[in-house]
Amino acid sequence: MASLKKGSSALDAVVIAVRYLEDAACTNAGIGSSLSLDGTVECDASVMDGQCLSYGAVGAISDIKNPIMVARKLVEEQRCGNYVCSSSTMVGSGATKWAFEHGIPQVSPDTLKTESSIKTYNSHKRRLRAIEEKKKIKRRKHLQKHGQGNVKDDETAQVICNGKQSSEDHDCNGIQDTVGAVCIDMLGNMAAGVSSGGISLKQSGRLGPAAMYGAGCWAVNWKSEIKPGIAIATSGTGEHLMKTLLARECCQSLQQDDFTENAFKKVFQDKFLDSEFLHDTKEKFGGILALKCDKSDSSAGNYELLWGHTTDSMCVGFMSSNTKVKTVISRLEDDKIAGTTFVMEGRSFKL
C-alpha cells in the first residue's frame, strides 16, 4: 500500500507483496518451500498485468530466492518488445540461467531450506518408506500364500517394525501455504501473482499451477459496463487447478454475471467440484482470491473482494487506501467435509 500511494503500479505492488511472502519461511514459496523427492527446492511463480495482458511465469526454477521477480522480468521484456525471449514461460535450469543473465542473482540451494522444511521432508520420506515396505510385505504374503516365495516370520516382523512412524512424524508437519496477491492501483490497472514451492516430495521437474497460464493467476482491466476488471489468484491441489484452468474460468464467470455472489458460487460448484475434468476425483481442493472492479476510474469505482475455498481453511489479508489492514482466517463449518463443498466470503469497498 505504501508503494501504491507513491505511484507504483498494481503489478509493482503484487510483486512486492508476493516477494515478502516468499521470504517468509512459514509459507510454501521461496524460502521454506516444500522439498522435492530429491531434497531440492524447485519453485513456480507467475504474474499477469491486466493493463496490457502480459503474462510471465517460471517453473521448476532452482537457486533463486524470489521466483516472482523472474516472472516479473519476463513481463518487462515483453513490454519492451524484446522477442529474443519469445516465451512468456521458462522452466528449469534454463530459467535460472536466464534470470542470472538479466540481473537476478542466484543463491546457494541451502539458503532456501529451513529447519522446518527439512524436518517435514524427512517425516514425509519416512512415511513414504513405510508405505513402500507395507506394499512389499503384502506382496510377499501373497507370494508365500500361493507357494511362490518363502518369507521368514522374523524377517517380516523386522520390516514392519522398521516401517512404523515415529512420534516425531506427527509433530513437525506444519501447514504450508502457496501465496498469491491481487491488486488495483490508483489508475484502475489490475494485476495478480502467485508463487509456490509445489507439493512435498514432488518429482524433480514437475510444473505446478503457479506456472501455468490460466490456472494460477489472471488479470484483466475494466473494459466496459459489461466487462468489469478482474484479478484472480488461486491455490490448492495443483492437478485440480490445472485441469480446470480455475483462474481463467473464475474471471470469465465474474465478467459474465452481474451478480458476483452467484458467479462465484457457480465457479466452485460447476467449474470445480462438478467439473467433468475431475469426474474421477472424489475430493477437490482449491481456493480463490478475487478482486472485481466495475468502473475504469478507480476513484469512482465500486470494488468487491472475494475469497472461497474447498479446503479446511484459507488465510487472507487485505487493505485499501482508506482502510486499515484486515486479516481473516476463513474455515469450513465443522460438519462439512473438505474437498466436497465450499465456503465463500467477501467485502465491498470504495477507494
Side-chain angles (χ1 to χ4, degrees), residues 231-280:
I232 305 288
T234 68
S235 180
T237 299
E239 279 60 36
H240 302 172
L241 304 181
M242 291 187 283
K243 287 182 178 180
T244 57
L245 292 178
L246 191 59
R248 186 169 183 268
E249 287 286 356
C250 184
C251 176
Q252 291 181 330
S253 293
L254 290 174
Q255 284 188 316
Q256 294 167 2
D257 195 327
D258 291 336
F259 298 97
T260 305
E261 184 176 340
N262 290 339
F264 212 50
K265 287 180 178 178
K266 287 180 181 178
V267 170
F268 274 104
Q269 196 62 57
D270 299 342
K271 302 297 185 179
F272 194 65
L273 291 176
D274 294 337
S275 171
E276 62 181 319
F277 301 105
L278 300 177
H279 66 90
D280 58 347

Side-chain angles (χ1 to χ4, degrees), residues 81-344:
N82 183 357
Y83 295 103
V84 174
C85 170
S86 59
S87 174
S88 61
T89 303
M90 301 193 72
V91 299
S93 59
T96 302
K97 181 174 180 291
W98 187 89
F100 181 72
E101 292 172 348
H102 287 77
I104 299 174
Q106 292 180 244
V107 297
S108 168
D110 290 339
T111 63
L112 301 177
K113 299 178 183 180
T114 63
E115 182 180 351
S116 177
S117 67
I118 293 172
K119 287 180 70 176
T120 298
Y121 170 76
N122 290 332
S123 169
H124 289 176
K125 286 283 281 187
R126 281 192 294 271
R127 293 185 182 189
L128 182 61
R129 284 194 295 268
I131 292 171
E132 291 172 345
E133 292 295 351
K134 287 179 181 178
K135 287 183 178 179
K136 289 180 182 178
I137 292 170
K138 187 175 181 180
R139 177 170 173 76
R140 287 176 182 175
K141 287 183 176 180
H142 174 78
L143 294 175
Q144 187 178 33
K145 180 179 180 181
H146 292 82
Q148 299 177 30
N150 184 24
V151 181
K152 295 180 181 179
D153 290 342
D154 58 346
E155 179 184 355
T156 303
Q158 182 62 35
V159 173
I160 294 175
C161 179
N162 289 340
K164 287 183 179 178
Q165 294 181 358
S166 69
S167 59
E168 180 187 357
D169 290 351
H170 303 280
D171 298 330
C172 62
N173 298 314
I175 295 174
Q176 292 180 305
D177 297 308
T178 297
V179 303
V182 294
C183 182
I184 182 169
D185 61 29
M186 300 300 180
L187 298 178
N189 296 319
M190 306 190 77
V194 288
S195 183
S196 175
I199 59 174
S200 180
L201 300 188
K202 65 182 179 181
Q203 186 65 46
S204 181
R206 174 189 181 265
L207 194 66
M212 180 170 286
Y213 190 70
C217 67
W218 199 260
V220 292
N221 276 13
W222 180 93
K223 293 294 190 299
S224 67
E225 294 297 336
I226 60 173
K227 279 216 169 182
I230 306 289
I232 305 288
T234 68
S235 180
T237 299
E239 279 60 36
H240 302 172
L241 304 181
M242 291 187 283
K243 287 182 178 180
T244 57
L245 292 178
L246 191 59
R248 186 169 183 268
E249 287 286 356
C250 184
C251 176
Q252 291 181 330
S253 293
L254 290 174
Q255 284 188 316
Q256 294 167 2
D257 195 327
D258 291 336
F259 298 97
T260 305
E261 184 176 340
N262 290 339
F264 212 50
K265 287 180 178 178
K266 287 180 181 178
V267 170
F268 274 104
Q269 196 62 57
D270 299 342
K271 302 297 185 179
F272 194 65
L273 291 176
D274 294 337
S275 171
E276 62 181 319
F277 301 105
L278 300 177
H279 66 90
D280 58 347
T281 303
K282 184 177 179 181
E283 297 175 336
K284 298 105 173 178
F285 297 106
I288 302 174
L289 178 65
L291 181 62
K292 180 178 180 180
C293 166
D294 65 0
K295 293 289 183 182
S296 60
D297 182 0
S298 64
S299 64
N302 295 312
Y303 306 93
E304 293 178 88
L305 179 68
L306 305 103
W307 57 90
H309 53 97
T310 67
T311 52
D312 286 321
S313 63
M314 183 176 180
C315 304
V316 179
F318 56 93
M319 182 180 184
S320 70
S321 58
N322 55 17
T323 66
K324 295 181 178 181
V325 176
K326 296 182 180 179
T327 58
V328 174
I329 300 180
S330 175
R331 301 185 186 277
L332 281 182
E333 296 177 8
D334 292 339
D335 60 340
K336 303 297 184 181
I337 300 175
T340 64
T341 186
F342 66 93
V343 63
M344 56 174 285

Side-chain angles (χ1 to χ4, degrees), residues 11 14-23 27-31 33 41-49 54-62 64-75 78 87-92 95-96 98-99 104 177-181 192-199 202 205-218 232-234 242:
L11 185 64
V14 161
V15 171
I16 289 171
V18 174
R19 191 183 69 206
Y20 272 96
L21 291 169
E22 288 175 335
D23 290 344
T27 66
N28 182 20
I31 297 173
S33 289
V41 173
E42 294 185 7
C43 295
D44 304 323
S46 61
V47 291
M48 188 165 179
D49 184 350
S54 293
Y55 172 85
V58 290
I61 191 170
S62 301
I64 298 294
K65 181 183 177 185
N66 297 112
I68 196 70
M69 298 294 291
V70 189
R72 165 63 186 272
K73 192 65 178 178
L74 284 167
V75 169
Q78 293 173 60
S87 174
S88 61
T89 303
M90 301 193 72
V91 299
T96 302
W98 187 89
I104 299 174
D177 297 308
T178 297
V179 303
V194 288
S195 183
S196 175
I199 59 174
K202 65 182 179 181
R206 174 189 181 265
L207 194 66
M212 180 170 286
Y213 190 70
C217 67
W218 199 260
I232 305 288
T234 68
M242 291 187 283

